[in-house]
Amino acid sequence: MHIVQSWLKQYTDVRWSPEEIAERLTMTGLEFESVEKPGSRYDGFVVGEVLETQKHPKADRLTVCRVNVGKEVLQIVCGAPNVAAGQKVPVGLIGATVPKNQHDPSGAPFVLSRVTLRGVESSGMICSAAELDLGKDADGIMVLDPKAKVGRALADHLGMNDVVYDIEITPNRPDWLSHLGFARELAVLTGKPVKVPAVRLKEGPVSIRKHLSVTVQDRVNCPRFAARMIRGVTIGPSPVWLQQWLTLAGLRPINNVVDITNFVMYECGHPMHAFDHALLDGGAIVVRQAGPGQKFTTLDGREHEIPASSVMVCDAVKPVSVAGVMGGANSEIRPETVDVVLEAAYWNPSSIRKTAKSLGMSTDASQRFERGADPNAVGYALDRAAALVLELAGGVLLKGAIDIYPKSIRPHTVDLRPTRVNGVLGTDIAPAAMVKYLRALGLRLVKKSARRMTFSVPTFRVDLDREIDLIEEIARVHGYNNIEDKTRSSVEFVQDLPKATPADRVRERAVAAGLKEVITNSMQDEQRAGMGGTRPVRILNPQNQDMLMLRGSLLPGMLDVVARNIRNGEPDLRVFEIGHVFAAAEDGVQELVPGYHEEERIAVVLTGLASGRHWSAAPRPVDLFDIKGEAAALVQAFALDKWRFISYSTANGLTGDTLGIEIHGSYAGFLGTVRSDVLKFFGIEQDVAVAEIVLASFGQRREQKYQPLPRFPKVRRDVAFELRQDLPAGDVAAVIRESAGELLKSVDVFDVYQGAHLAAGMKSLAFSLELLSREHTLTEAEIEAVMQRVIGRVQEVCGATLRGVKG
């Protein structure tokens, strides 16, 4: 935001130097990017008058000029075709720095010196607008107003001997986005009043409603809309003072009516727009949401596809403005405009923010509306602009204003406890001083008791909602440098370390296994959010279509990570993520937030080669058994009593070959290889193995127990059974563990066979059992008893036939 000092002085009397203003306001929280004196770049430039010209004797394209610069007459050789006697022109004297070299591709500045051109001495330079960086015209010299005073400093003539403050405005202070807002802040420090320009309007006899109608269909996003109409205006350039102020503020003067709307916005902070009434079909304004696939060309000449949720200002037939962002080329003020409609409105900040972000546009108007403009400044801004149009463009103001404001937005109140103020700040500020400070900021004391005061907060201060906000304002005005430093430190020599959470312990184990952690966004588009196999949760106010829903699974986001890494030449990945997933709750299930289920999970993704390339072995891609091993190691690390892999559908929509993970008899997650159609969706052309487990199913990690190495030998026995093909090996192993008793230390499948010598639909499973006693050496009788129990139980429960025992 650029604040022009001469403009600022219209509203408050301040005698401080620019540096002192910047220093004092910095101490109250404003952030100054710079304090610039734009006229300083034109030191050494004056207004000159061309007295006579003659052709250069040795160059057809050069002209020798005699130029009066006030104190002397100089001979200057000029190459511009439009130079002529009698012109008032900008002249650079010897030693001056020309801001822009139009003959240098980089446009670097250069210093003027006395030169000889084709035998003729030249003592200065007559400049073009491009060379002075005042425009793009480089074809000829800049011709000044004939009334310009010869010898006057060019900066004075251009109105640039001013000071411009470049301020970084925080998102919570839209009231600083204006000269009046800046003046209010200064007045708090100086104690001088703020002079708000008075508005006096002379209306004609004809009512505005005879020529204009306004309808607001979307009252949620447009709580207030007001309009005035002026007939018979004359469009032309703005007066010099207005053009100079707008230029110094960083705006380009266009014409008197458009410049007035920009002036009012920079004066009081409320954006406005002006329409050519002749271009409004039906003499109507309708505020509504954009239709599907709506195309619209804005004032900058760009065509946009307007999001369906965006608010548009329309006439009876077509849209004419993107509400709160930018007007349309189809209703702009033209040189032939005669009747003008002025509009001022208050728009829902979140609506403007979404529209501007969707369109990739950030304008002066959108910056103010999305932060929160003052709804009660609409009337003043509209009347101020109307008065200036009458003054600078003429015309007749139609009687009355159309102001649709069905539900007034009134100032709210905030309670303040003086003891709390001093307790937070460590001060002894008297309650009377607190009242004085807050009144200076525009707040009004509405109620007071011995322990509490209640203040009414003006609607232009959208940042003041809580008691702590008022305390901060008191600290700002009192002066941070006036608050005594009171430092106290303490050292605690004994303090328990924070306990590790289940997520911390699982993360530590995953990292130890060589997995790298990734973090992905919990907001996804509709297609990704639906891949988790649950009912996804839709976000009420999504930033865009890519963040429409909360994720139902960690895996879609991780597959995006895989695709991005592959595109960047990293095809071999071993990664994990710990995060929350969301779903609509099942009927009748009690949840912390009714209707929504949230849980924490860990997901593991493997892709590429199972191990690094090495000369001793051929490279092998990751497969189902790799992810099964990672999942088993992760679960086993927490010493869980009962867990197993089971084959059943998870309905997750992501994996083909899938194994469920069951812990303590409850479903805890799944693992598998990603389906080919899912890989195609993410643009992945290699196999990916994944696992996803509910973190709560790990339970509490048990205390580690250690024991000495066994003193007695282990015994191994192998046993093979013939059984049905559809019977999982894990079920058989579970029966073996249950029947073998405490002497069994491990059981593993070491052979699976299907084919000749077996009946149809049958298979052979061979298990290796390891037996051990820590008290004595096992006898053959003990070993035989265990094996007989195992064989008998497997035959009974699994319907198996013994094929053989070895050991």
Side-chain angles (χ1 to χ4, degrees), residues 5 16-23 32 35 37 163 165:
Q5 180 156 293
W16 297 331
S17 69
E19 291 72 24
E20 189 174 3
I21 289 175
E23 180 182 355
F32 284 77
V35 178
K37 298 180 179 179
V163 178
Y165 303 94

Side-chain angles (χ1 to χ4, degrees), residues 413-584:
T413 59
V414 177
D415 289 343
L416 181 72
R417 295 164 293 173
T419 54
R420 175 66 175 159
V421 175
N422 288 319
V424 170
L425 300 180
T427 54
D428 295 313
I429 302 173
M434 298 178 191
V435 174
K436 177 183 176 182
Y437 293 157
L438 295 178
R439 278 178 172 164
L441 291 167
L443 281 72
R444 186 167 57 88
L445 179 65
V446 295
K447 188 177 179 181
K448 184 178 181 181
S449 66
R451 302 179 62 184
R452 188 182 304 268
M453 297 182 288
T454 302
F455 289 88
S456 174
V457 179
T459 50
F460 63 78
R461 287 302 302 270
V462 298
D463 59 312
L464 304 182
D465 286 323
R466 303 167 299 163
E467 181 182 43
I468 196 66
D469 298 328
L470 301 193
I471 294 174
E472 182 183 4
E473 292 301 289
I474 290 170
R476 286 196 319 112
V477 179
H478 182 71
Y480 294 122
N481 53 331
N482 294 323
I483 298 176
E484 182 183 355
D485 289 335
K486 296 179 181 178
T487 304
R488 183 183 68 180
S489 62
S490 62
V491 179
E492 296 185 20
F493 292 97
V494 179
Q495 182 177 4
D496 293 335
L497 294 174
K499 293 183 178 180
T501 65
D504 293 332
R505 292 192 291 269
V506 174
R507 179 179 290 106
E508 181 183 350
R509 176 63 186 82
V511 171
L515 301 174
K516 294 183 178 180
E517 186 173 11
V518 299
I519 300 174
T520 63
N521 199 333
S522 60
M523 295 178 286
Q524 298 176 339
D525 60 31
E526 189 167 4
Q527 195 160 1
R528 285 172 172 78
M531 289 180 177
T534 58
R535 289 186 295 163
V537 177
R538 183 178 293 271
I539 298 172
L540 289 178
N541 56 341
Q543 293 185 9
N544 52 55
Q545 292 300 309
D546 292 334
M547 299 181 180
L548 196 63
M549 295 186 168
L550 294 175
R551 63 187 175 192
S553 167
L554 300 176
L555 293 173
M558 297 183 73
L559 290 175
D560 278 323
V561 172
V562 169
R564 187 160 52 250
N565 275 270
I566 292 174
R567 287 195 300 270
N568 285 279
E570 297 291 340
D572 305 325
L573 293 175
R574 294 167 52 83
V575 296
F576 77 96
E577 179 176 11
I578 295 174
H580 289 253
V581 299
F582 310 85

Side-chain angles (χ1 to χ4, degrees), residues 272-286:
M272 301 185 58
H273 191 63
F275 299 99
D276 186 333
H277 181 267
L279 299 177
L280 295 178
D281 286 324
I285 288 179
V286 180

